[in-house]
Amino acid sequence: MELKKHRGLRFLAGPGAASIIRKDGFGPEQVGTIAGASGGAKWLVLSQLDRVISDRILPRLKGPVHLLGSSIGSWRFACYAQANPRAAIDRFEEAYLEQRYSDKPDSGEISDKSREIIEHVLGDTGTSEIINHPQLRTHVLTVRARYLVASEHPVALSAGLFLAATANMVARRSLGMFFVRGLFFDPRDLPPFFNAQGFPIERTAISEANLADAIRASGAIPLVLNGIRDISGAPPGMYRDGGIIDYHLDLPTSPEGRLTLYPHFFDYLKPGWFDKNLAWRRHQAANIDRTLVICPSADFVSRLPGGKVPDRTDFQTMTPERRRKAWRTCVSACEELAEDLHDVLDCGELSARLEPL
């Protein structure tokens, strides 16, 4: 069987991952972790790939396999780990596309909508299915905010974020003065990032009592959504977006001898939220050695509405009707990405498409 001509995807591999795939080919049983970055509406460019992964890869995983997400990554994986992931992805996508707000929504209104969406995605049984999944181990990254950044007063919070961003420019570790990494983990099998270094860390076992709040907190963008206070079982305090520290997951994600599968919006990785515009800030090489990133090509992105991946600025730059139309157009266009991934899996030609990460 020959690969078809459409090549909307790129496959970027760390040295260890490239060596494994070129020697043994690629199979789902090699995957030990699936990673999901922060990114809000950017996830829409991955929704069709998520369906392929749910149909073609999840059923063939050799457990335990860790799901590690921050922000929207944790929302996506709340779909992966349900008994019917395809149906959960469908619910999530439709609810996300149809978000509706007043003309000038405040953080309270946006937070209420966030809660409605996650409740719709989880339904009556989703939480229990995630907690008890036979193969998948769900882990959610948040931060517990300290001092000014724990405030919901816009002036105090803005000042705290400015100080954190300034300190981060000098040294990434300085974020530990403002935020504590909060890992909500599945205690059945400890993940390779359980003892991640670089920042103070607090670990809380996920449970039916705290899973939904942990997921909401993981996507609680400061000044956009309210933080989540005093999550059940976790140290008291204000919890916010996990992407502040772990934007694109600069962590030791891969179990020994296994791969990290990383469907991503971009062909680059940035460690933290404040690093987005810092050209010199890069992931540690050891953390991505056995990582396989699957992402859309620049050519494919150029053909999306506005020539870009959807993002939350669309709420400011587009009318609601135009935004929903553009996002639906993007989701439909991304069927091309799904077809490309199907072809690569069918033909066993992933190694021929690898590029260095």
Side-chain angles (χ1 to χ4, degrees):
M1 185 182 296
E2 296 183 356
L3 284 172
K4 296 180 181 178
K5 292 182 179 180
H6 53 68
R7 293 197 169 190
L9 290 174
R10 298 180 68 193
F11 300 88
L12 312 177
S19 177
I20 291 170
I21 293 168
R22 289 185 173 127
K23 178 183 177 183
D24 303 322
F26 173 78
E29 65 280 355
Q30 297 165 310
V31 175
T33 299
I34 305 179
S38 299
K42 299 179 185 72
W43 91 274
L44 293 171
V45 82
L46 301 178
S47 68
Q48 300 288 2
L49 293 182
D50 283 342
R51 290 175 168 89
V52 178
I53 291 168
S54 73
D55 292 345
R56 300 285 303 272
I57 293 179
L58 296 186
R60 295 178 54 200
L61 293 174
K62 183 179 179 181
V65 171
H66 302 286
L67 302 179
L68 177 64
S70 66
S71 194
I72 204 68
S74 68
W75 289 63
R76 292 169 51 225
F77 294 159
C79 300
Y80 275 35
Q82 292 189 48
N84 188 339
R86 169 65 84 107
I89 293 167
D90 290 345
R91 290 197 303 275
F92 182 30
E93 180 183 88
E94 187 61 23
Y96 202 91
L97 290 170
E98 287 299 314
Q99 293 178 74
R100 296 175 186 269
Y101 300 96
S102 62
D103 290 341
K104 294 183 178 180
D106 59 15
S107 60
E109 181 180 349
I110 299 171
S111 299
D112 288 344
K113 177 58 67 175
S114 171
R115 184 181 63 254
E116 290 176 12
I117 293 175
I118 194 60
E119 288 175 351
H120 181 63
V121 170
L122 293 174
D124 294 332
T125 61
T127 299
S128 176
E129 291 166 2
I130 293 167
I131 295 295
N132 297 295
H133 197 284
Q135 276 114 12
L136 299 178
R137 306 292 183 258
T138 297
H139 312 281
V140 178
L141 284 164
T142 66
V143 295
R144 183 173 62 80
R146 309 171 71 186
Y147 311 118
L148 286 176
V149 289
S151 173
E152 290 289 27
H153 191 285
V155 174
L157 179 54
S158 297
L161 292 171
F162 175 78
L163 291 172
T166 302
N168 178 74
M169 290 184 69
V170 178
R172 178 163 148 77
R173 282 176 175 265
S174 65
L175 286 179
M177 297 186 294
F178 302 87
F179 303 97
V180 177
R181 177 184 270 151
L183 174 64
F184 289 80
F185 69 98
D186 187 326
R188 292 177 294 173
D189 292 280
L190 297 185
F193 41 85
F194 188 75
N195 292 312
Q197 302 298 305
F199 298 94
I201 185 171
E202 295 169 342
R203 308 169 189 86
T204 303
I206 59 168
S207 67
E208 295 202 24
N210 64 27
L211 178 63
D213 280 345
I215 294 171
R216 288 177 58 216
S218 187
I221 304 168
L223 298 174
V224 179
L225 292 94
N226 296 333
I228 307 298
R229 187 176 292 281
D230 298 341
I231 298 175
S232 176
M238 179 67 76
Y239 289 80
R240 299 194 185 278
D241 195 319
I244 292 172
I245 288 178
D246 295 303
Y247 190 55
H248 292 166
L249 309 179
D250 188 14
L251 296 157
T253 58
S254 306
E256 188 64 35
R258 301 181 78 180
L259 302 176
T260 293
L261 179 64
Y262 197 154
H264 191 38
F265 334 110
F266 303 128
D267 59 1
Y268 60 86
L269 300 173
K270 287 291 184 178
W273 191 44
F274 295 112
D275 299 326
K276 289 183 284 186
N277 297 317
L278 304 183
W280 64 88
R281 195 61 57 79
R282 292 286 187 268
H283 272 50
Q284 299 174 67
N287 288 343
I288 56 175
D289 179 61
R290 295 194 303 279
T291 296
L292 172 65
V293 169
I294 303 176
C295 62
S297 68
D299 175 70
F300 175 82
V301 172
S302 72
R303 293 183 272 119
L304 296 176
K308 69 178 187 66
V309 172
D311 60 53
R312 62 186 174 88
T313 66
D314 297 342
F315 285 100
Q316 286 78 49
T317 61
M318 300 181 184
T319 65
E321 294 76 15
R322 183 184 170 201
R323 172 179 54 80
R324 286 191 288 270
K325 181 178 180 181
W327 284 6
R328 288 191 179 276
T329 300
C330 171
V331 168
S332 296
C334 289
E335 292 179 5
E336 177 182 328
L337 303 182
E339 291 174 6
D340 194 6
L341 184 54
H342 275 302
D343 286 348
V344 168
L345 293 174
D346 287 341
C347 297
E349 293 288 344
L350 178 59
S351 61
R353 297 276 295 274
L354 290 182
E355 303 175 59
L357 175 61

